[in-house]
Protein backbone atom coordinates (compact mmCIF):
# COMPACT_ATOMS: atom_id res chain seq x y z
CA UNK A 1 0.00 0.00 0.00
CA UNK A 2 1.29 3.44 -0.91
CA UNK A 3 2.23 5.52 2.13
CA UNK A 4 3.53 8.99 2.87
CA UNK A 5 4.95 10.15 6.18
CA UNK A 6 6.23 13.59 7.08
CA UNK A 7 8.56 14.79 9.79
CA UNK A 8 8.71 16.62 12.00
CA UNK A 9 5.05 16.96 12.85
CA UNK A 10 5.65 20.55 13.93
CA UNK A 11 8.65 22.85 13.65
CA UNK A 12 9.35 26.21 15.23
CA UNK A 13 12.05 28.40 13.73
CA UNK A 14 13.35 31.82 14.43
CA UNK A 15 13.23 34.19 11.50
CA UNK A 16 16.33 33.56 9.38
CA UNK A 17 16.95 30.08 10.82
CA UNK A 18 17.15 27.67 7.88
CA UNK A 19 15.85 24.10 8.14
CA UNK A 20 14.43 21.16 6.19
CA UNK A 21 11.17 19.25 6.20
CA UNK A 22 11.13 15.58 5.32
CA UNK A 23 8.66 13.53 3.30
CA UNK A 24 9.24 9.78 3.15
CA UNK A 25 7.22 7.67 0.78
CA UNK A 26 6.56 4.11 -0.20
CA UNK A 27 4.94 3.82 -3.59
CA UNK A 28 4.69 1.23 -6.30
CA UNK A 29 6.31 3.30 -9.01
CA UNK A 30 6.43 7.06 -8.59
CA UNK A 31 4.63 9.21 -11.14
CA UNK A 32 5.11 12.48 -9.30
CA UNK A 33 5.71 13.95 -5.86
CA UNK A 34 3.96 17.17 -4.91
CA UNK A 35 4.48 19.81 -2.26
CA UNK A 36 1.64 22.03 -1.11
CA UNK A 37 1.35 24.83 1.40
CA UNK A 38 -1.81 25.14 3.48
CA UNK A 39 -2.70 28.18 5.54
CA UNK A 40 -5.28 27.89 8.34
CA UNK A 41 -8.83 27.88 6.99
CA UNK A 42 -7.69 27.62 3.39
CA UNK A 43 -7.17 24.98 0.76
CA UNK A 44 -3.75 23.61 -0.15
CA UNK A 45 -1.75 25.79 -2.51
CA UNK A 46 0.43 24.02 -5.05
CA UNK A 47 4.18 24.60 -4.75
CA UNK A 48 6.19 22.01 -6.68
CA UNK A 49 6.08 18.77 -8.63
CA UNK A 50 9.12 16.49 -8.72
CA UNK A 51 9.26 13.56 -11.11
CA UNK A 52 12.53 11.70 -10.66
CA UNK A 53 15.33 11.15 -8.17
CA UNK A 54 17.91 13.91 -8.29
CA UNK A 55 15.46 16.55 -9.41
CA UNK A 56 15.35 19.91 -7.62
CA UNK A 57 12.92 22.82 -7.82
CA UNK A 58 13.21 26.28 -6.26
CA UNK A 59 10.81 29.07 -5.50
CA UNK A 60 11.90 32.07 -3.45
CA UNK A 61 13.11 30.71 -0.08
CA UNK A 62 11.94 27.15 -0.78
CA UNK A 63 13.84 24.36 -2.49
CA UNK A 64 12.48 20.86 -2.97
CA UNK A 65 14.64 17.82 -3.66
CA UNK A 66 13.82 14.21 -4.40
CA UNK A 67 15.52 10.86 -3.82
CA UNK A 68 14.18 7.38 -4.43
CA UNK A 69 12.64 7.18 -0.98
CA UNK A 70 12.16 10.73 0.27
CA UNK A 71 11.84 14.37 -0.54
CA UNK A 72 13.10 17.38 1.37
CA UNK A 73 11.71 20.86 1.45
CA UNK A 74 14.53 23.20 2.40
CA UNK A 75 13.60 26.60 3.77
CA UNK A 76 16.37 29.18 3.64
CA UNK A 77 16.23 32.23 5.91
CA UNK A 78 12.50 31.84 6.57
CA UNK A 79 10.20 34.74 7.34
CA UNK A 80 7.07 34.78 9.51
CA UNK A 81 4.92 34.71 6.37
CA UNK A 82 6.33 31.25 5.62
CA UNK A 83 4.39 29.91 8.60
CA UNK A 84 1.93 27.30 7.32
CA UNK A 85 1.38 23.57 7.11
CA UNK A 86 3.42 21.96 4.33
CA UNK A 87 1.88 18.90 2.72
CA UNK A 88 3.57 16.26 0.63
CA UNK A 89 1.68 13.97 -1.76
CA UNK A 90 2.65 11.22 -4.16
CA UNK A 91 1.01 9.94 -7.29
CA UNK A 92 1.86 6.36 -8.18
CA UNK A 93 1.96 5.00 -11.69
CA UNK A 94 -1.59 4.60 -12.84
CA UNK A 95 -2.98 1.17 -12.47
CA UNK A 96 -6.04 0.18 -10.59
CA UNK A 97 -8.08 2.87 -8.91
CA UNK A 98 -6.90 6.45 -9.14
CA UNK A 99 -7.68 6.97 -5.48
CA UNK A 100 -5.07 4.47 -4.50
CA UNK A 101 -2.53 6.36 -6.54
CA UNK A 102 -2.64 9.82 -5.02
CA UNK A 103 -1.76 9.89 -1.33
CA UNK A 104 -1.14 12.82 1.00
CA UNK A 105 1.05 12.89 4.08
CA UNK A 106 -0.22 14.41 7.35
CA UNK A 107 1.83 17.57 6.94
CA UNK A 108 4.41 19.55 8.90
CA UNK A 109 3.20 22.64 10.79
CA UNK A 110 5.85 25.31 10.45
CA UNK A 111 5.93 28.37 12.69
CA UNK A 112 8.47 31.10 12.02
CA UNK A 113 8.87 33.52 14.88
CA UNK A 114 9.97 37.12 14.30
CA UNK B 1 -10.03 33.72 -13.87
CA UNK B 2 -11.67 32.60 -10.68
CA UNK B 3 -10.18 29.66 -8.84
CA UNK B 4 -12.02 26.63 -7.57
CA UNK B 5 -15.12 27.89 -5.77
CA UNK B 6 -16.64 25.97 -2.90
CA UNK B 7 -19.72 26.85 -0.93
CA UNK B 8 -20.78 27.16 1.69
CA UNK B 9 -17.54 27.89 3.57
CA UNK B 10 -19.07 26.72 6.82
CA UNK B 11 -22.01 24.39 7.28
CA UNK B 12 -23.62 23.31 10.54
CA UNK B 13 -26.00 20.38 10.53
CA UNK B 14 -27.78 18.46 13.25
CA UNK B 15 -27.35 14.72 13.40
CA UNK B 16 -29.64 13.06 10.89
CA UNK B 17 -29.86 16.03 8.51
CA UNK B 18 -28.48 16.18 5.00
CA UNK B 19 -25.41 18.16 3.96
CA UNK B 20 -24.88 19.36 0.39
CA UNK B 21 -21.48 20.73 -0.54
CA UNK B 22 -20.92 22.48 -3.85
CA UNK B 23 -17.81 22.87 -5.97
CA UNK B 24 -17.36 24.86 -9.17
CA UNK B 25 -14.08 23.94 -10.87
CA UNK B 26 -11.76 26.39 -12.55
CA UNK B 27 -12.79 27.46 -16.02
CA UNK B 28 -11.64 24.86 -18.52
CA UNK B 29 -11.19 22.14 -15.91
CA UNK B 30 -13.37 19.09 -16.41
CA UNK B 31 -11.88 16.85 -13.73
CA UNK B 32 -13.02 17.24 -10.14
CA UNK B 33 -11.72 15.53 -7.01
CA UNK B 34 -13.15 15.58 -3.50
CA UNK B 35 -10.97 15.14 -0.42
CA UNK B 36 -11.78 15.04 3.27
CA UNK B 37 -9.46 16.41 5.95
CA UNK B 38 -10.00 15.40 9.54
CA UNK B 39 -8.29 17.33 12.35
CA UNK B 40 -4.62 16.39 12.63
CA UNK B 41 -4.90 14.07 9.63
CA UNK B 42 -3.88 14.33 6.01
CA UNK B 43 -6.16 14.80 3.07
CA UNK B 44 -7.98 11.60 2.16
CA UNK B 45 -9.21 11.01 -1.35
CA UNK B 46 -12.93 10.43 -1.69
CA UNK B 47 -14.04 10.58 -5.31
CA UNK B 48 -12.93 11.59 -8.79
CA UNK B 49 -15.50 12.80 -11.30
CA UNK B 50 -15.70 14.05 -14.83
CA UNK B 51 -18.78 15.67 -16.31
CA UNK B 52 -21.72 13.27 -15.79
CA UNK B 53 -19.37 10.44 -14.79
CA UNK B 54 -17.97 9.05 -11.57
CA UNK B 55 -14.54 7.76 -12.50
CA UNK B 56 -13.32 6.52 -9.12
CA UNK B 57 -15.24 6.50 -5.85
CA UNK B 58 -12.96 4.10 -4.02
CA UNK B 59 -12.50 6.57 -1.15
CA UNK B 60 -16.17 7.20 -0.53
CA UNK B 61 -17.92 5.56 2.42
CA UNK B 62 -20.32 2.96 1.10
CA UNK B 63 -23.37 4.46 2.75
CA UNK B 64 -24.82 7.98 3.07
CA UNK B 65 -22.25 9.63 0.77
CA UNK B 66 -22.79 10.39 -2.90
CA UNK B 67 -21.31 12.74 -5.47
CA UNK B 68 -22.27 14.06 -8.85
CA UNK B 69 -20.92 16.40 -11.50
CA UNK B 70 -23.77 17.23 -13.86
CA UNK B 71 -23.44 18.53 -17.38
CA UNK B 72 -24.44 21.97 -16.15
CA UNK B 73 -23.67 23.39 -12.74
CA UNK B 74 -21.31 22.58 -9.93
CA UNK B 75 -20.21 19.26 -8.55
CA UNK B 76 -22.18 18.24 -5.46
CA UNK B 77 -21.03 16.11 -2.54
CA UNK B 78 -24.06 14.92 -0.61
CA UNK B 79 -24.02 13.42 2.85
CA UNK B 80 -27.27 11.98 4.09
CA UNK B 81 -28.18 11.47 7.75
CA UNK B 82 -25.00 13.11 9.00
CA UNK B 83 -23.28 11.88 12.14
CA UNK B 84 -20.73 13.60 14.39
CA UNK B 85 -17.92 11.67 12.72
CA UNK B 86 -18.68 13.43 9.44
CA UNK B 87 -17.43 16.72 10.92
CA UNK B 88 -14.41 17.66 8.82
CA UNK B 89 -13.15 20.00 6.14
CA UNK B 90 -14.12 18.89 2.65
CA UNK B 91 -11.96 20.10 -0.19
CA UNK B 92 -12.57 20.05 -3.88
CA UNK B 93 -9.80 20.22 -6.46
CA UNK B 94 -9.91 20.50 -10.23
CA UNK B 95 -7.57 19.78 -13.10
CA UNK B 96 -7.65 20.15 -16.85
CA UNK B 97 -5.98 16.75 -17.26
CA UNK B 98 -6.70 13.13 -16.44
CA UNK B 99 -4.24 11.34 -14.14
CA UNK B 100 -2.99 9.41 -17.15
CA UNK B 101 -2.18 12.61 -19.02
CA UNK B 102 0.25 13.89 -16.49
CA UNK B 103 1.26 14.17 -12.90
CA UNK B 104 0.30 17.77 -12.29
CA UNK B 105 -0.53 19.45 -9.04
CA UNK B 106 -4.13 20.39 -9.18
CA UNK B 107 -5.89 23.46 -7.79
CA UNK B 108 -7.83 23.25 -4.54
CA UNK B 109 -10.76 25.30 -3.34
CA UNK B 110 -10.88 26.82 0.12
CA UNK B 111 -13.02 24.02 1.46
CA UNK B 112 -16.30 23.58 3.30
CA UNK B 113 -16.06 23.06 7.02
CA UNK B 114 -18.87 20.80 8.11
CA UNK B 115 -19.82 20.68 11.77
CA UNK B 116 -22.37 18.15 12.93
CA UNK B 117 -23.98 18.99 16.26
Amino acid sequence: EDQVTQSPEALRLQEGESSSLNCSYTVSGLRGLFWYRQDPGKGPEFLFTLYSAGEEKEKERLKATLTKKESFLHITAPKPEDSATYLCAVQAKVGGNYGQNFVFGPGTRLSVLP
Amino acid sequence: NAGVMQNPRHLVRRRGQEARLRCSPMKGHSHVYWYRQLPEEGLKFMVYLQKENIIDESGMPKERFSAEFPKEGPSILRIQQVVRGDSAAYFCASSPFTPRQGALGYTFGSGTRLTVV
Side-chain angles (χ1 to χ4, degrees), chain B residues 9-110:
Chain B
R9 290 294 307 275
H10 300 275
L11 182 61
V12 180
R13 284 287 178 265
R14 296 186 184 280
R15 281 178 294 171
Q17 290 185 318
E18 178 179 291
R20 291 171 70 88
L21 288 61
R22 289 177 291 278
C23 168
S24 297
M26 285 186 71
K27 188 176 181 182
H29 289 195
S30 57
H31 305 274
V32 167
Y33 311 84
W34 285 93
Y35 283 79
R36 177 163 63 176
Q37 188 173 42
L38 293 166
E40 308 304 324
E41 292 188 21
L43 288 156
K44 302 294 184 187
F45 169 81
M46 299 182 75
V47 62
Y48 163 37
L49 310 105
Q50 295 176 20
K51 285 283 187 182
E52 299 185 278
N53 282 304
I54 297 175
I55 306 302
D56 180 357
E57 56 182 349
S58 58
M60 288 271 275
K62 298 294 181 208
E63 297 177 351
R64 302 187 298 107
F65 285 72
S66 62
E68 63 177 9
F69 189 15
K71 188 176 180 181
E72 301 290 338
S75 175
I76 306 286
L77 179 68
R78 184 179 172 206
I79 311 172
Q80 295 178 293
Q81 299 176 327
V82 296
V83 301
R84 288 234 171 97
D86 297 332
S87 295
Y90 292 83
F91 290 96
C92 167
S94 73
S95 169
F97 302 109
T98 70
R100 292 180 187 274
Q101 289 173 321
L104 297 173
Y106 34 58
T107 303
F108 280 88
S110 294

Side-chain angles (χ1 to χ4, degrees), chain A residues 6 17 31 50 91:
Chain A
Q6 291 187 247
E17 179 186 2
R31 187 103 189 252
L50 300 165
Q91 184 181 16

